[in-house]
Amino acid sequence: MRTYLSFETPVADIDARLDELRALTAKGDSPAIDEEIARLEAKATKTLAELYAALTPWQKTQVARVQGRPHFNDYVKGLIDDFTPLAGDRKFAEDAAIVGGLGRFRGQPICLIGHEKGDDTASRLKHNFGMARPEGYRKAARLMELADRFDLPVVSLVDTAGAWPGVDAEERGQAEAIARATDVSLSLGTPNVAVVVGEGGSGGALAIAACNKVLMLEHAIYTVASPEAAASILWRDSSRAQDAATSMKITAQDLLKFGIIDAIVPEPIGGAHRDPQAAVEATGRAVAAALDQLSNMSREALRDARAQKFLAMGRKL
């Protein structure tokens, strides 16, 4: 059963009419009904394209979180051959919110790391909704160091509302673990590329996104805090999340203009959740292009370019 976001009511109405007409055609051929179906299908596509061409930041936030959007496992299935997951931080435990391992991307061995939110209740609980504890970031740092040792490019897929804020995470050094992973990411002598495929929230995202190239899907968001958290901090009222989203400049289009990201990956009409395979393929092409740009750089050049990229942020607005 299809679900629609609150701003998609015009498309939902057209689709409901289409379902009625298709049910009629199933009972017998009718050229007049077939013509009406074709007209309504074109109208639905046009309406959807117009809606998604003018999304507000809050609407993009809804799209970035919507059910059906491809997650880490979908990208692995669509882009990576011979993927071998590697578990554990070798210090405390395994954290399923961050998944990582080795595989082949278009024939090239790489290290792939990313957040996994899960697709149903059981998997969401298993992966803690993509919110990692310290051992998740220590695992990510371990895998990045392993990739550096064997001269493998690192690709990060970012999709988290933020790091897990629980007492247990703080007791085990959440801030230190995030800082450590960020430091390792910045100091790699191999190319690294991050793609914000859904939500990129706070240090939980930055820990694996301090990369030579940072890409974002067209309707993803990347922010220092979720709109709800920012509204709670600024106005003591989380219901003002829409105002916070508008003020914080969290969309791919704004962040490209400010130099925070390097490129935008186009999504299918109506968002990645309407055609996950097309979104995965577009992401694969963008990652391949980014790795190709970095392939001839020396280890020192990669580190210097990465450092300059992040040092330049905020200098010119």
Side-chain angles (χ1 to χ4, degrees), residues 15 26 50 78 105 115 141 144 176 206 233 249 256 273 317:
D15 284 348
E50 290 173 348
F105 172 66
H115 301 94
M144 286 188 279
E176 184 276 336
L206 184 62
I233 294 168
K249 307 300 181 185
L256 181 64
H273 58 289
L317 297 177

Side-chain angles (χ1 to χ4, degrees), residues 88 93-99 127-128 131-137 139:
E94 160 66 355
D95 187 324
I98 289 183
V99 182
H127 295 288
N128 199 34
M131 294 183 288
R133 293 176 169 85
E135 44 273 23
Y137 295 109
K139 175 174 67 175

Side-chain angles (χ1 to χ4, degrees), residues 67-266:
Q67 173 72 14
R69 197 171 176 88
H71 293 157
F72 181 89
N73 287 334
D74 300 305
Y75 287 96
V76 170
K77 292 175 185 176
L79 299 176
I80 307 299
D81 296 322
D82 303 322
F83 183 68
T84 302
L86 300 174
D89 66 346
R90 302 297 187 267
K91 292 180 173 65
F92 181 76
E94 160 66 355
D95 187 324
I98 289 183
V99 182
L102 307 178
R104 293 184 182 274
F105 172 66
R106 301 192 174 189
Q108 179 183 16
I110 67 164
C111 175
L112 185 69
I113 302 169
H115 301 94
E116 173 57 58
K117 286 184 171 181
D119 297 311
D120 53 29
T121 301
S123 61
R124 286 176 189 138
L125 290 172
K126 173 186 175 182
H127 295 288
N128 199 34
F129 300 87
M131 294 183 288
R133 293 176 169 85
E135 44 273 23
Y137 295 109
R138 292 184 175 122
K139 175 174 67 175
R142 180 175 74 83
L143 296 185
M144 286 188 279
E145 289 172 339
L146 180 68
D148 195 39
R149 193 174 308 134
F150 291 97
D151 204 26
L152 300 177
V154 177
V155 176
S156 301
L157 301 178
V158 178
D159 190 10
T160 181
W164 177 245
V167 172
D168 58 333
E170 295 299 327
E171 288 175 341
R172 296 198 296 275
Q174 183 74 290
E176 184 276 336
I178 290 173
R180 169 66 174 156
T182 306
D183 177 61
V184 172
S185 187
L186 286 169
S187 62
L188 287 179
T190 59
N192 57 353
V193 175
V195 188
V196 183
V197 297
E199 289 185 271
S202 192
L206 184 62
I208 62 171
C211 299
N212 288 107
K213 298 288 184 181
V214 180
L215 318 177
M216 277 183 73
L217 265 64
E218 184 179 359
H219 304 307
I221 61 170
Y222 192 21
T223 172
V224 69
S226 70
E228 293 88 346
S232 295
I233 294 168
L234 293 173
W235 299 295
R236 308 294 186 197
D237 183 2
S238 61
S239 67
R240 295 188 63 180
Q242 185 169 346
D243 295 332
T246 302
S247 302
M248 291 166 66
K249 307 300 181 185
I250 63 177
T251 69
Q253 294 73 21
D254 283 330
L255 295 172
L256 181 64
K257 181 173 64 177
F258 294 139
I260 305 299
I261 66 170
D262 299 287
I264 297 174
V265 181

